[in-house]
Amino acid sequence: MNDHSVSARKRDKRRQILEAAVGVFAKQGFHKSRVSDVARAAEVADGTIYLYFKSKDDILISIFEETMADMIERVQLAIESHSDPLDQLREFALFHMRNVEEHRDVAKVLQVELRLSSTFMKEYKPTRLQQYMDIIGRLISEGKEAGVIRADVNPIIARRAFFGALDEIAMQWILTPNARYGLNESAEQIAELFVRGLQS
Amino acid sequence: MNDHSVSARKRDKRRQILEAAVGVFAKQGFHKSRVSDVARAAEVADGTIYLYFKSKDDILISIFEETMADMIERVQLAIESHSDPLDQLREFALFHMRNVEEHRDVAKVLQVELRLSSTFMKEYKPTRLQQYMDIIGRLISEGKEAGVIRADVNPIIARRAFFGALDEIAMQWILTPNARYGLNESAEQIAELFVRGLQS
Amino acid sequence: MNDHSVSARKRDKRRQILEAAVGVFAKQGFHKSRVSDVARAAEVADGTIYLYFKSKDDILISIFEETMADMIERVQLAIESHSDPLDQLREFALFHMRNVEEHRDVAKVLQVELRLSSTFMKEYKPTRLQQYMDIIGRLISEGKEAGVIRADVNPIIARRAFFGALDEIAMQWILTPNARYGLNESAEQIAELFVRGLQS
Amino acid sequence: MNDHSVSARKRDKRRQILEAAVGVFAKQGFHKSRVSDVARAAEVADGTIYLYFKSKDDILISIFEETMADMIERVQLAIESHSDPLDQLREFALFHMRNVEEHRDVAKVLQVELRLSSTFMKEYKPTRLQQYMDIIGRLISEGKEAGVIRADVNPIIARRAFFGALDEIAMQWILTPNARYGLNESAEQIAELFVRGLQS
DNA sequence: AATGAATGAGGTTTCATTCAT
DNA sequence: GATGAATGAAACCTCATTCAT
């Protein structure tokens, strides 16, 4: 057995636990999920979890970190196909909502459960979230430089407002079993609102 | 002892507990606050709390309910001074942020602690929050009827986007001890964004 | 208002509480009954109970004491109509069971609830119960002197065995909603057993 | 480590807790004993108790269940040495009392503490006690068939009367530190009483 | 005598984490 | 690396009782 296969197996087991955790947390909620529930779902022993994660919270944070890293990468690819910053913003909104729709379990854990965890938002600094929002901020700044966005727009405030709008709608959609509006329509509406609101 | 003084004393004690709870929850967080911490701060015995509230969660929910009821009333008064729905929306944003700024402790409990409580958002239906958001929705609908807001705006999506934007900024301001931007500037920026975004 | 009426009213309120307590304890069980439940049933304030009884346990003990005092008096009247100690024993059994049947609530409290109270049987010395059982013991001793009961019967053991037999059957009847045998038949059977068992 | 030693150790720890519990409950009473008292006596952590028992009540019920199962087995062996049902009844009485005398702590827990526990006698159906009493009933029925016991004896009533008599005496002996009569004499007296009372 | 608001002690159970095997 | 038995900290709430009015 060579090094590669060992570390590959290791990564596999880590992934195995992470995927089991997403399912368990989405179904029962983070708080109500016991570590042993995750262990059972991942088909490992309780103690094994602690070979890969520092704590129960660390599992949640890892889900967040890794999902966000992936999203940051993919959203950048998605917006590359446009050149106008405003079109890119629209693309961002569509991407975000499509992502929530396609990975409901992951989205539920990130949107709902993550916030119910007392460590998050307080002790943990969500750098990844910052990075994700920074993409929005960069687009706004580029728009300002290109003259398509009003000069008096504060990119720091605007990017957070944009993200807040997307986030609130996504949260609602996740919590409501049968939402009245699809996320696609919501994304379009929000994009339209902000594009009009931002442009010179 | 007449009826007035008795029920007044009773109301007083309830308020005494509620105010102590806001302080304790804002400082230590809801989860880390013990009922006896609230009792000590309110200068009553632990058991007394349960004469006025069903449970620890009930204290949190009562803070929410009563603060929201008050805000709903006051925001309606605040927007009455304007007649244009778009001006009223701007006033709403300013009112909301002014409120967060002036009652930081209460805002912190509502914005942060309430969401960390596992009962809330899941078992408890936040009717008051709905009512508060409904005011935004009503302004948008009125704006559409008056022709100052685009006909293709979906008020249900837009009101939630507007609230989400305000909420995200407020959350950030509360969690960041020394925020770069005052809430007043943020309110203006968001109002401007949405007014431009919504208008025909 | 003269002394008589005052103390009469006092006795009335005491009785009022005692009767309410029997009902409440029989229905909910002593342990699950709160003092305020008894107060509400007796239509007095919680504190009033403590003007008449030292503690919650004291209510239970008072029910016991007063019921037993009454039963001791009445059972003596009942057995007076017979002269043969063995007939008197039979009468005792019949009286005991008739009493359980006719005052099911009181019996339930005495038989079941009293024993579930941790003070009773341990700290409290049930003198009245002793007195009640002494009547059986006396009948047995008289029977021995009269020669109708075997000389080798130990009255102290026999009286407790007799009471234990009655008590166990009564307990079962009280706990079983629809008992297979009426208490009258049980009394006859036990009497027959002991009369035959005791006689020379 | 082989399977045997693992499950043996497991059984050992369970027994360790059970034996500690008997001692603690007998000394302090079930109600006054805290789970941590039992844990300390058994030299395990508080939480370990809950790996073997569902609740504090479950410990008590387990003591009862397992002791009764053992007694049922042993009393049947004990009465096998006789063939006459009346001799067997006598043997039963002697066995029962000998058992109480030899396992005073266990008997105290079963006789006294079990009844003071509010769950028992009310929610829990004591099947084992029924089985134990059934042995008496069976002996009586066999006696009737063999013609040594009166035809008009109701076995259901008689068996409970017999058990009640034994139980009441045992209870008294356990509660009275220096009882006047040994349990052996009491067993003989009760056996004599019932044998004479039952026989044709 | 009557009230009832206020008191405050007290204990079971869960479950994240550890560590000997 | 993997296991899973063992650990032990931690806090909500009830309700008998008191006492100022």
Side-chain angles (χ1 to χ4, degrees):
Chain A
M1 210 153 290
N2 58 40
D3 274 342
H4 176 266
S5 83
V6 165
S7 74
R9 213 177 344 126
K10 193 162 174 177
R11 241 181 298 119
D12 278 358
K13 191 150 286 187
R14 190 188 148 85
R15 181 130 307 279
Q16 195 176 321
I17 293 169
L18 236 27
E19 277 165 18
V22 167
V24 172
F25 293 167
K27 194 173 178 192
Q28 318 182 16
F30 177 74
H31 193 78
K32 286 200 168 178
S33 303
R34 280 161 292 153
V35 170
S36 62
D37 291 336
V38 175
R40 200 181 317 110
E43 294 179 302
V44 298
D46 291 22
T48 305
I49 303 236
Y50 290 86
L51 296 174
Y52 297 91
F53 302 94
K54 278 202 305 290
S55 65
K56 188 187 170 190
D57 278 351
D58 188 36
I59 303 175
L60 190 58
I61 289 173
S62 298
I63 293 172
F64 177 73
E65 290 278 318
E66 292 172 31
T67 305
M68 287 310 291
D70 181 57
M71 277 182 72
I72 288 166
E73 207 169 310
R74 288 189 298 114
V75 80
Q76 273 165 335
L77 283 176
I79 61 178
E80 263 177 14
S81 56
H82 300 270
S83 55
D84 177 33
L86 289 174
D87 287 343
Q88 289 181 314
L89 266 185
R90 192 183 303 271
E91 185 58 41
F92 190 104
L94 288 167
F95 170 86
H96 186 82
M97 292 312 205
R98 213 184 309 125
N99 206 70
V100 168
E101 217 159 19
E102 285 169 7
H103 307 282
R104 195 176 184 140
D105 269 8
V106 174
K108 190 172 181 190
V109 172
L110 296 193
Q111 296 269 351
V112 186
E113 301 310 330
L114 195 59
R115 294 159 200 228
L116 300 183
S117 163
S118 42
T119 25
F120 190 76
M121 303 291 265
K122 306 190 81 169
E123 279 135 56
Y124 169 71
K125 301 286 176 206
T127 324
R128 294 291 184 193
L129 190 61
Q130 202 67 29
Q131 286 173 14
Y132 190 63
M133 277 197 279
D134 273 353
I135 297 171
I136 307 172
R138 211 178 315 128
L139 295 179
I140 293 172
S141 298
E142 285 167 18
K144 282 177 72 173
E145 281 163 27
V148 291
I149 288 179
R150 285 183 287 125
D152 57 337
V153 164
N154 180 329
I156 292 177
I157 297 172
R159 80 174 177 200
R160 197 165 272 276
F162 187 65
F163 179 77
L166 289 173
D167 195 57
E168 179 74 27
I169 301 269
M171 171 82 87
Q172 170 69 1
W173 183 82
I174 288 162
L175 292 176
T176 313
N178 29 342
R180 262 191 285 184
Y181 298 101
L183 283 177
N184 196 58
E185 179 176 351
S186 297
E188 304 266 21
Q189 285 268 337
I190 293 171
E192 190 62 29
L193 253 168
F194 277 82
V195 164
R196 284 171 178 266
L198 291 166
Q199 71 194 357
S200 335
Chain B
M1 193 145 302
N2 56 40
D3 275 342
H4 175 265
S5 80
V6 165
S7 71
R9 195 155 20 108
K10 205 162 168 175
R11 239 177 302 119
D12 279 359
K13 190 147 285 184
R14 191 189 147 86
R15 181 131 303 279
Q16 195 177 319
I17 294 168
L18 235 28
E19 278 165 15
V22 167
V24 172
F25 293 166
K27 193 175 178 190
Q28 318 183 14
F30 177 75
H31 193 76
K32 286 201 168 177
S33 303
R34 278 163 295 147
V35 171
S36 60
D37 292 335
V38 176
R40 199 180 318 109
E43 294 181 301
V44 297
D46 290 22
T48 306
I49 305 245
Y50 291 87
L51 294 177
Y52 297 91
F53 302 95
K54 279 201 301 291
S55 64
K56 190 186 168 193
D57 278 352
D58 188 36
I59 303 174
L60 190 59
I61 288 173
S62 297
I63 293 171
F64 176 73
E65 289 278 318
E66 290 170 34
T67 304
M68 287 309 292
D70 182 56
M71 278 183 71
I72 288 166
E73 207 170 309
R74 287 189 299 112
V75 80
Q76 272 165 335
L77 283 174
I79 62 179
E80 262 176 16
S81 56
H82 300 270
S83 54
D84 177 35
L86 290 172
D87 287 344
Q88 289 181 315
L89 266 184
R90 191 184 302 273
E91 183 60 40
F92 190 104
L94 288 167
F95 170 87
H96 185 83
M97 292 312 205
R98 213 184 308 125
N99 207 69
V100 169
E101 214 158 21
E102 284 168 9
H103 307 282
R104 193 177 183 139
D105 270 7
V106 174
K108 187 171 183 192
V109 172
L110 296 194
Q111 296 267 354
V112 187
E113 300 310 328
L114 196 57
R115 297 165 196 219
L116 300 184
S117 163
S118 45
T119 23
F120 192 76
M121 302 291 267
K122 305 190 84 167
E123 278 134 59
Y124 170 71
K125 301 285 173 205
T127 324
R128 294 289 184 195
L129 191 61
Q130 201 66 29
Q131 284 172 17
Y132 190 63
M133 276 198 279
D134 274 352
I135 296 172
I136 307 173
R138 210 177 317 126
L139 295 179
I140 294 172
S141 297
E142 284 168 19
K144 283 177 71 174
E145 279 163 30
V148 293
I149 286 180
R150 284 184 286 126
D152 58 336
V153 164
N154 180 329
I156 292 177
I157 297 173
R159 78 168 179 204
R160 198 165 271 277
F162 186 66
F163 180 78
L166 289 173
D167 196 57
E168 180 71 27
I169 302 270
M171 171 81 87
Q172 170 68 1
W173 183 83
I174 287 162
L175 291 175
T176 312
N178 27 340
R180 262 190 286 184
Y181 299 100
L183 284 177
N184 195 59
E185 179 176 352
S186 297
E188 303 266 23
Q189 284 269 338
I190 293 170
E192 191 62 28
L193 253 170
F194 276 83
V195 163
R196 284 173 178 265
L198 291 166
Q199 70 192 1
S200 335
Chain C
M1 210 154 289
N2 57 40
D3 275 344
H4 176 266
S5 83
V6 164
S7 74
R9 201 156 17 104
K10 192 162 173 176
R11 241 180 297 118
D12 278 0
K13 191 150 283 185
R14 190 188 148 86
R15 182 131 303 281
Q16 195 177 319
I17 294 168
L18 236 27
E19 279 166 15
V22 167
V24 172
F25 293 167
K27 194 172 177 191
Q28 318 183 17
F30 177 75
H31 193 77
K32 287 200 167 179
S33 303
R34 280 161 292 153
V35 170
S36 62
D37 291 336
V38 175
R40 199 182 317 110
E43 294 179 302
V44 297
D46 291 21
T48 306
I49 305 240
Y50 290 86
L51 296 174
Y52 297 92
F53 302 95
K54 279 202 304 289
S55 66
K56 188 186 170 191
D57 279 351
D58 188 37
I59 303 174
L60 190 59
I61 288 173
S62 297
I63 293 171
F64 177 72
E65 289 277 319
E66 291 172 34
T67 305
M68 287 311 290
D70 181 56
M71 277 183 72
I72 287 165
E73 209 170 306
R74 287 189 297 113
V75 78
Q76 273 166 334
L77 283 175
I79 61 179
E80 263 176 16
S81 56
H82 300 272
S83 54
D84 178 33
L86 290 173
D87 287 345
Q88 289 182 315
L89 266 185
R90 191 183 303 272
E91 184 59 40
F92 189 104
L94 289 167
F95 170 87
H96 186 82
M97 292 312 205
R98 213 183 309 126
N99 206 70
V100 169
E101 216 157 21
E102 285 168 7
H103 306 282
R104 194 176 182 140
D105 269 10
V106 175
K108 189 171 181 191
V109 172
L110 297 193
Q111 297 268 352
V112 185
E113 300 310 329
L114 195 58
R115 294 159 199 227
L116 299 184
S117 162
S118 43
T119 25
F120 190 76
M121 303 292 266
K122 307 189 79 169
E123 278 133 57
Y124 168 71
K125 301 285 174 207
T127 325
R128 292 292 185 193
L129 190 62
Q130 201 67 27
Q131 285 173 16
Y132 189 63
M133 277 198 277
D134 274 352
I135 297 171
I136 306 172
R138 212 179 312 128
L139 294 179
I140 294 172
S141 297
E142 284 167 18
K144 283 177 72 174
E145 279 162 29
V148 293
I149 287 179
R150 285 184 285 126
D152 58 336
V153 164
N154 180 328
I156 293 178
I157 297 172
R159 79 173 179 199
R160 198 164 270 277
F162 187 65
F163 179 78
L166 289 173
D167 196 57
E168 180 72 28
I169 301 270
M171 172 80 89
Q172 169 69 1
W173 183 82
I174 287 162
L175 291 176
T176 313
N178 27 339
R180 262 190 285 182
Y181 298 101
L183 283 177
N184 196 58
E185 180 178 350
S186 296
E188 302 265 23
Q189 285 268 337
I190 293 171
E192 191 63 27
L193 254 169
F194 276 82
V195 164
R196 283 172 178 266
L198 291 166
Q199 71 192 358
S200 338
Chain D
M1 196 145 304
N2 57 40
D3 275 344
H4 176 265
S5 81
V6 165
S7 71
R9 196 157 18 106
K10 205 163 169 174
R11 240 179 300 120
D12 279 359
K13 191 147 284 187
R14 191 188 147 86
R15 181 130 306 279
Q16 195 177 321
I17 294 168
L18 235 28
E19 277 164 18
V22 166
V24 172
F25 293 167
K27 193 173 178 192
Q28 319 183 15
F30 176 75
H31 193 77
K32 287 202 166 177
S33 303
R34 279 162 294 146
V35 171
S36 60
D37 292 335
V38 176
R40 199 180 318 111
E43 294 180 301
V44 296
D46 291 21
T48 306
I49 305 244
Y50 291 86
L51 294 177
Y52 297 92
F53 302 95
K54 279 202 301 291
S55 65
K56 189 185 169 194
D57 278 353
D58 189 36
I59 303 174
L60 190 60
I61 288 173
S62 298
I63 293 172
F64 177 73
E65 289 278 318
E66 290 170 34
T67 305
M68 288 308 292
D70 181 56
M71 277 183 71
I72 288 166
E73 207 170 309
R74 287 189 298 112
V75 79
Q76 272 166 334
L77 284 176
I79 62 179
E80 262 176 16
S81 56
H82 300 270
S83 54
D84 178 34
L86 290 173
D87 288 344
Q88 288 181 316
L89 267 184
R90 192 182 303 271
E91 185 58 42
F92 190 104
L94 288 166
F95 170 87
H96 185 82
M97 292 313 206
R98 213 184 309 125
N99 206 71
V100 169
E101 215 158 19
E102 284 168 6
H103 307 282
R104 192 175 185 141
D105 270 7
V106 175
K108 189 170 181 191
V109 172
L110 296 194
Q111 296 267 352
V112 187
E113 299 310 329
L114 195 58
R115 296 164 198 222
L116 300 184
S117 162
S118 45
T119 24
F120 191 76
M121 301 293 265
K122 305 190 85 166
E123 279 135 57
Y124 170 71
K125 301 284 176 207
T127 324
R128 292 290 185 196
L129 191 62
Q130 201 67 29
Q131 285 173 15
Y132 190 62
M133 277 198 279
D134 273 352
I135 296 172
I136 308 173
R138 212 178 315 126
L139 295 179
I140 295 173
S141 297
E142 285 167 17
K144 283 177 72 173
E145 279 164 29
V148 293
I149 287 181
R150 285 183 287 124
D152 58 336
V153 164
N154 181 328
I156 291 177
I157 297 173
R159 80 171 178 201
R160 198 165 271 277
F162 187 66
F163 180 78
L166 289 172
D167 195 58
E168 180 73 27
I169 302 270
M171 171 81 86
Q172 170 68 2
W173 183 82
I174 287 161
L175 291 175
T176 313
N178 30 341
R180 261 189 287 183
Y181 298 101
L183 282 177
N184 196 58
E185 178 176 352
S186 296
E188 303 267 20
Q189 285 268 337
I190 293 171
E192 190 63 27
L193 253 170
F194 276 82
V195 164
R196 283 171 179 267
L198 291 167
Q199 72 193 357
S200 333

